[in-house]
Amino acid sequence: MAPRRRERVKVLKAADRNGQNSPRVTINAFPVEILLEIFDSCREAAMKSVWDWPRGWPGTWHKLLHVCRTWRYVVLSSPLRLDLYVDCSDGSPVRELLHIWPPFPIQITSFKLTDNIIAALEHRDRVSKIRLSLTCSRCEKLFAVIQEPLPALTSLDLERAYGRGDENYDTVPALPATFLGGSAPRLQSLTLRGIPFSTLPQLLLSCSALSELSLHDIYDLGYISPEAMVTGLSALTRLTYLCIEFDEAFLPDQMIQHPPLLTRPVTAVLPALKKFRFEGFIEYLEDLLARIDVPQLEDFRIVFYQQHIFDIRQVISHSRMLGSFNRAEVIFDLYSVAIRLDQPEGTNPIKTLELGIHDGKRLGWQVSSMTQIATQSSHLLSSVTELDILCDLVSCSREILMDNTEWLELFHLFSTVRTLRLSGEVESNVIDSLQELTRESIAEVLPNLQNISFRQYPGYEFEQLLIGLFFASSDQSAIPVGLMMSPSFSAYISSWL
C-alpha cells in the first residue's frame, strides 16, 4: 500500500480513539482507492496460492461482488486494475459465464479442448490467455478455429500431451503458418512444449511486445535453424527471458551445417534480455551466439546433451561480459552434472553462469566431465572462495563410478576456495579421495581452505579426515580450518591441542 494511502487509514483509525462513545468506522467509510488496495492485495494472495496458473482469483472476486452494492460497484468498475477475467476451463459452464458477466478478458485453461473451450475461443477480441494440452486430434480442432489473429492475446502456452489416452499423442502436427493469422502484436509470453512450429520466426516478427519466449522439447519436425531463429528474435526488443531446449533424442547430425563462425556477422541485438537458458548441442549454441548481442544479460545457463569431448571455450568467448565469480556450486544428478557460478555483487554484468552436461544413456562420467568443464573455464574460477558440492539423488553416488584422482584434479582447479561445503551422498566419495593424501598434501590441494562443512557423513573416517585437515601443516596456525562438527567431536579435537 502506498505511503499516502497508509496515512489515510491511520487517520480513520485515529478518529475511533477519541472516546468510548465515538461512532465506529466501518470499512465502507474507506475511500475507493483504499478499497481497491485491499482488493488488489486479495488478488495477489489468490494468484500466489495456486501453483503455475492463476485460477484462484476468479472465485475470490466473485465473492466480493456479493458483499454489498458498494463493493460490487468498486470491483466491476475497475476491471483492469483488479485484472478481472472470465476463467474458462474444462469443468466450467463456459457459455453461461460468458453470458452473465460483462465483456471481461477471457483466460482459457484446458487439457481436453472440449466444445465449451472452442466456444470461448470464438470470442476472438476477448481471449487474453491460453493454456492448452494438445494431441493430434485436438490440434486439428484448434487449427480450425484459430486461423485469424486474437488481438487481445497476451499469453500463449501450448504443450504436447504425454500419454493422456490418445494413441497419437507423440505425433502432434506442426502449427501452420496461418496460426493466429500470422500476427500477435500484444503477445507478451509464448511457451511451446513439444509443439513443432517451424514458421515461428515469421510470427515473432509481429510480436514486438513479447517479453518471455520458451521453446521446450524441440525435435526434427520443429527444428529452426540458428539463422532463422535470429531473424525472428531480431524484432523482440522487449524480450527479457529466452529458453531454447531441444528434445534429448534430437541428434546433432539432423542440424543444417553452416559456414565457419568468422563469416557470420551479428544480425540481432536483444537489448532487454536478462535470462537465457539453453539445452541442446554446442554446435547450435555457437552458431546462435555468433549472431546475437545481449548487452544486459545477467543469468546464462547452458546444458549440453550426450557430449563428452567438446570445447566450451568458444561459447564462453562469445560472452564478453564474463568476469570472475566468487561462489561455485558443483551439482551431481544421476544423468547430469553442472557447475553454477555466482557473483551477486560486483562489476560482472553476468551474475549467474551455469554450465552442465546431461546424458541419459551412460553412467560414471560425471566427475571427469565436470573437470573438463572447469578446466576450460578455469579463468572464471580464479576468485572463487566458496565451493558447494551437491548431490540431488540418494542413488547418485552409488551409480557414479569414479577414480579418486578425478576428485583431486577437480579440487586443484579451485585452489582459491576458503569455504567448502559438501551435501548429500557425494560426501563419502570426496572423503575417500581426500583420505588418500598425506596431511601435508591436503594443504597443497586446497591451500586456502579455512572452513569445511559435512552434513551427513559421520564415523571414524570422517573424524580422521578432519584431524588431517586441522593438522595438515607443521605450522598449524598457517591453515586455520574451521570445522562443522558435533560437541563430542569438538572435545575430541581439543584433546589433540
Side-chain angles (χ1 to χ4, degrees):
M1 188 182 297
R4 181 172 59 86
R5 291 169 184 169
R6 289 196 186 99
E7 291 300 322
R8 289 187 181 182
V9 175
K10 291 179 181 178
V11 170
L12 290 171
K13 290 181 178 179
D16 194 37
R17 299 194 188 109
N18 296 328
Q20 294 182 351
N21 296 326
S22 299
R24 301 195 65 82
V25 177
T26 66
I27 194 171
N28 282 334
F30 287 169
V32 171
E33 290 186 3
I34 298 298
L35 287 175
L36 281 174
E37 287 288 342
I38 295 173
F39 297 159
D40 200 31
S41 297
C42 293
R43 178 188 63 82
E44 292 178 357
M47 292 179 67
K48 292 178 181 178
S49 66
V50 180
W51 176 79
D52 195 37
W53 194 256
R55 300 289 303 280
W57 177 229
T60 303
W61 70 260
H62 291 174
K63 294 176 182 178
L64 296 176
L65 300 181
H66 298 287
V67 174
C68 64
R69 291 183 178 179
T70 300
W71 285 27
R72 184 181 181 87
Y73 169 78
V74 171
V75 171
L76 294 181
S77 61
S78 308
L80 296 179
R81 168 69 180 277
L82 298 179
D83 191 24
L84 303 186
Y85 58 87
V86 180
D87 181 52
C88 299
S89 58
D90 292 325
S92 59
V94 173
R95 287 184 171 84
E96 179 180 347
L97 292 174
L98 296 176
H99 177 71
I100 63 175
W101 293 117
F104 295 146
I106 298 173
Q107 296 195 11
I108 298 173
T109 308
S110 175
F111 298 96
K112 298 179 181 179
L113 204 61
T114 60
D115 291 340
N116 277 346
I117 299 301
I118 296 298
L121 288 170
E122 292 174 351
H123 293 260
R124 303 182 186 282
D125 58 338
R126 294 173 54 188
V127 176
S128 173
K129 296 184 179 182
I130 298 176
R131 182 181 180 185
L132 301 175
S133 179
L134 300 176
T135 61
C136 184
S137 58
R138 294 173 200 163
C139 281
E140 295 174 358
K141 295 172 65 176
L142 181 66
F143 298 165
V145 72
I146 305 185
Q147 296 290 328
E148 298 178 12
L150 301 177
L153 186 65
T154 61
S155 177
L156 177 63
D157 187 334
L158 304 178
E159 68 172 357
R160 180 176 58 181
Y162 292 92
R164 295 182 182 273
D166 190 316
E167 60 181 5
N168 294 320
Y169 71 91
D170 60 343
T171 57
V172 176
L175 297 178
T178 56
F179 184 71
L180 294 176
S183 176
R186 294 187 60 187
L187 192 64
Q188 299 174 15
S189 176
L190 173 60
T191 300
L192 301 177
R193 297 182 175 91
I195 302 295
F197 193 7
S198 58
T199 58
L200 174 65
Q202 288 91 316
L203 177 66
L204 293 180
L205 292 175
S206 71
C207 300
S208 58
L210 196 68
S211 62
E212 297 182 5
L213 175 61
S214 300
L215 307 175
H216 304 268
D217 298 332
I218 302 171
Y219 58 102
D220 55 351
L221 185 59
Y223 176 74
I224 301 172
S225 70
E227 183 178 7
M229 182 69 74
V230 171
T231 299
L233 294 176
S234 63
L236 308 182
T237 58
R238 300 183 185 179
L239 192 69
T240 61
Y241 176 82
L242 173 62
C243 177
I244 300 176
E245 296 180 0
F246 283 88
D247 189 284
E248 189 178 352
F250 186 81
L251 301 177
D253 57 10
Q254 295 175 270
M255 295 188 294
I256 301 174
Q257 298 300 316
H258 295 281
L261 287 172
L262 294 178
T263 66
R264 286 172 252 163
V266 172
T267 57
V269 178
L270 304 178
L273 191 67
K274 299 288 187 182
K275 296 182 178 181
F276 181 21
R277 307 283 188 273
F278 178 86
E279 290 191 17
F281 301 93
I282 194 168
E283 298 89 348
Y284 191 97
L285 183 61
E286 283 182 354
D287 198 340
L288 185 68
L289 291 178
R291 301 174 185 273
I292 63 175
D293 188 14
V294 285
Q296 299 299 321
L297 189 64
E298 296 180 353
D299 192 325
F300 189 19
R301 307 197 182 198
I302 310 168
V303 176
F304 296 124
Y305 290 157
Q306 304 172 15
Q307 291 178 270
H308 311 289
I309 300 176
F310 60 87
D311 191 345
I312 200 173
R313 286 170 290 190
Q314 291 195 34
V315 172
I316 295 176
S317 68
H318 293 305
S319 302
R320 300 185 299 276
M321 300 171 294
L322 288 175
S324 57
F325 298 84
N326 61 11
R327 185 172 184 271
E329 287 186 359
V330 177
I331 308 165
F332 292 96
D333 204 335
L334 188 58
Y335 296 108
S336 64
V337 63
I339 180 171
R340 181 183 301 155
L341 304 173
D342 289 297
Q343 178 70 284
E345 300 178 356
T347 58
N348 281 6
I350 293 184
K351 306 301 182 185
T352 299
L353 172 66
E354 183 173 320
L355 306 171
I357 303 176
H358 177 87
D359 189 339
K361 298 180 180 180
R362 297 203 319 164
L363 299 173
W365 53 268
Q366 283 92 332
V367 176
S368 59
S369 295
M370 187 73 268
T371 303
Q372 181 185 3
I373 292 176
T375 300
Q376 294 181 11
S377 55
S378 58
H379 63 289
L380 304 177
L381 311 179
S382 59
S383 300
V384 171
T385 58
E386 298 183 32
L387 174 60
D388 291 69
I389 301 180
L390 314 174
C391 183
D392 287 345
L393 296 178
V394 173
S395 61
C396 184
S397 67
R398 294 195 296 268
E399 299 293 348
I400 298 178
L401 307 176
M402 64 190 70
D403 188 335
N404 289 339
T405 59
E406 293 177 340
W407 281 109
L408 301 181
E409 291 175 4
L410 180 61
F411 282 131
H412 272 296
L413 297 170
F414 292 93
S415 59
T416 58
V417 165
R418 298 176 184 175
T419 299
L420 173 63
R421 288 182 287 264
L422 305 178
S423 177
E425 298 296 319
V426 76
E427 293 180 6
S428 60
N429 299 98
V430 175
I431 289 174
D432 290 342
S433 63
L434 291 180
Q435 284 185 141
E436 291 189 356
L437 300 177
T438 64
R439 294 178 179 180
E440 290 75 16
S441 298
I442 294 177
E444 297 178 4
V445 176
L446 297 168
N448 294 289
L449 188 65
Q450 296 180 359
N451 299 282
I452 184 170
S453 171
F454 294 80
R455 297 184 183 179
Q456 298 182 10
Y457 195 77
Y460 175 77
E461 295 83 359
F462 173 69
E463 295 174 350
Q464 294 302 309
L465 173 65
L466 295 183
I467 293 173
L469 288 172
F470 199 81
F471 297 101
S473 171
S474 58
D475 180 8
Q476 297 174 12
S477 62
I479 307 177
V481 178
L483 307 176
M484 302 295 293
M485 51 192 171
S486 64
S488 60
F489 186 64
S490 178
Y492 182 65
I493 286 289
S494 299
S495 67
W496 281 67
L497 301 178

